[in-house]
Every structure is written in C-alpha cells, then in structure tokens.
Amino acid sequence: MSGRRSDGPVPSDTLAALGRASEDPGRHLWLVPAPVASDVLHEDDALRELDELLAGPGLGDDVVARAVALAARVPGRLRAVVAALAAAGTPVAVAALLGLPQVPGALEAVARALARGLTRALPGADAAPVFFALDFRGSRARPFPDLLRRAQLLAAEPSGALRLDVLRVDDRPAYRLSFWPDTLAPRPRAALARACAADLALLHGRLARLRGTRLWLNGFCFDPDGPVSVAAQSHLLQAWLAWSEGHAP
C-alpha cells in the first residue's frame, strides 16, 4: 500500500478565550483583557435584538454569528434560531447549526444540505469540494487489522476516487480514507457510490469507536467529542451518499 497526499481541506477552528480575574487584597487584577462592557446585554435586551433579527426577511450570513451568540443568552429562542438557519441553508448557516445543541430540525436541515451537495465555505471566496474523509489512527484493538484491510481494498478501486493516505503522528501510523465523487462523471460516480456505501458506513461505525477517529463531509468536521453523536453522523453520511448516488432532493 502506498501513501497518497491528502487533497482534502482541513479547516482549523478555534475557541474564543474567556477572560478571568484574580483578586488581590484591595484590588482586582485582570490576567487578560476584561470583556467589552458594551456587549453585555440584559436578557430582555438580548431577546429584543434576537427577535428583531428573526423577524427580518431571512437570516443572512452577516448576522448568523450574532444570532447564535444571542440564542445562547435566550435559550427559549433556540428552536426559532435553528428554524431560521435551516431556512437559510447557506454554508455559513449549516456550519452554525453543527455548533448548536441538537434540537429538532437541526440534524434534518444539515442532512438536506449534504444531500444537495452543499459544501463548507473556506476562508476567502473558495468552497470545499464534495468529499468524504475518515481520519483514524493505528490501534491494537482486535478488529482493527480487518478494518484496515477493508479500507485498503476500497482504496485499490481503479478510478482513483477512493484513496487511503498514510501518515505518522507522534511516531504512530495515522490514516485517512477519502472518497472524491465529483472527480467522476455522474453515471460512474453513482455506480461507485452504491458499490462502496455499505463499506463506508461500516468503517465509519466501527472506527468511530476508536479514539481519535474523525469524520469529514464536504469540509464539515465531526469531532468524536463534538455535539453530533456517532449515530447522527451515520445519518448525515447516508444523506451525503444520496448526492453521490444521484438522489438529491
């Protein structure tokens, strides 16, 4: 088996740091800059601002981040925010849905987006390609050798749309199984997607039980400790395969 380079985008997401204060006798010492006072809203003000955003003609990409931030302060409006993001259906809105608690309607909206081939917006004006990737590490677990052989057999498919990249992370083997359906014409793409769908679902379901396994769909990343469970990821994978098989809604 030969390693291939990975063409898949690996966007990096960062968490915002929160300021903390430590008290010294008679004074407060801020270890990092204090929060901006103008952004501290009372719940009534947050509710009023959020309702104004939701009452607009649509939740545009320019206000998605603000709506999500306000929803955290007004939990009672979370379902309304999810519905607005689902109606927008843009890459920015779908990325926001994946970061919210999974209330009814969120998973279905993401599935519909993947089934129509929507991809993540990357920095700048580019968009991620349509692709599936499963990152996993070498393991001493008993089922692992059989799972690796199954991945190797998939990657031996002659079209080149299925790949298995081999890397080393912390001096240990790491793997990326990927499928790039938009490199094929519609008819062979659909045939290959149908042929490998069961294997991709099986590999995802079993490798996801091992530490360090991560799923990518169209540039959207599903961390093992993220808000989207492995069972929900399987549902999204089936929606992604629907596009590859030509069954987009």
Side-chain angles (χ1 to χ4, degrees):
M1 176 183 59
S2 61
R4 299 173 180 262
R5 67 181 181 90
S6 177
D7 296 323
V10 185
S12 61
D13 298 302
T14 58
L15 298 175
L18 297 176
R20 296 172 179 259
S22 67
E23 190 171 347
D24 210 8
R27 63 186 181 136
H28 289 281
L29 173 65
W30 286 95
L31 302 181
V32 294
V36 179
S38 62
D39 195 45
V40 178
L41 297 178
H42 293 294
E43 185 174 324
D44 290 345
D45 295 328
L47 177 60
R48 186 179 305 109
E49 182 181 351
L50 181 57
D51 282 345
E52 289 176 357
L53 291 178
L54 294 175
L59 209 56
D61 288 349
D62 57 330
V63 297
V64 164
R66 184 60 178 166
V68 170
L70 291 169
R73 303 181 186 184
V74 191
R77 288 290 191 273
L78 181 57
R79 290 196 179 191
V81 171
V82 166
L85 292 171
T90 64
V92 172
V94 171
L97 282 171
L98 291 173
L100 289 173
Q102 296 301 291
V103 301
L107 187 66
E108 292 78 5
V110 177
R112 288 194 299 271
L114 291 172
R116 69 173 187 268
L118 181 132
T119 65
R120 182 177 179 177
L122 299 178
D126 295 332
V130 175
F131 78 103
F132 155 96
L134 191 62
D135 295 338
F136 58 99
R137 301 175 184 175
S139 172
R140 295 179 180 177
R142 182 176 297 178
F144 183 77
D146 289 336
L147 295 174
L148 181 57
R149 278 193 290 272
R150 189 182 290 264
Q152 289 172 327
L153 288 173
L154 280 176
E157 191 277 330
S159 74
L162 282 153
R163 310 174 187 177
L164 184 64
D165 300 318
V166 186
L167 307 170
R168 294 198 72 83
V169 178
D170 297 330
D171 205 32
R172 294 178 55 192
Y175 305 89
R176 165 171 281 197
L177 176 66
S178 59
F179 180 25
W180 306 82
D182 60 354
T183 61
L184 302 173
R187 184 170 294 180
R189 178 184 70 206
L192 181 57
R194 285 192 295 269
C196 71
D199 283 317
L200 293 180
L202 182 147
L203 285 168
H204 167 254
R206 295 189 180 177
L207 288 169
R209 302 173 188 173
L210 304 178
R211 172 176 287 188
T213 298
R214 178 179 295 173
L215 174 69
W216 296 82
L217 295 173
N218 291 1
F220 297 104
C221 179
F222 301 89
D223 284 309
D225 299 324
V228 184
S229 67
V230 173
Q233 291 175 27
S234 298
H235 176 68
L236 297 179
L237 174 55
Q238 293 304 317
W240 182 86
L241 285 165
W243 181 90
S244 300
E245 295 176 14
H247 302 312

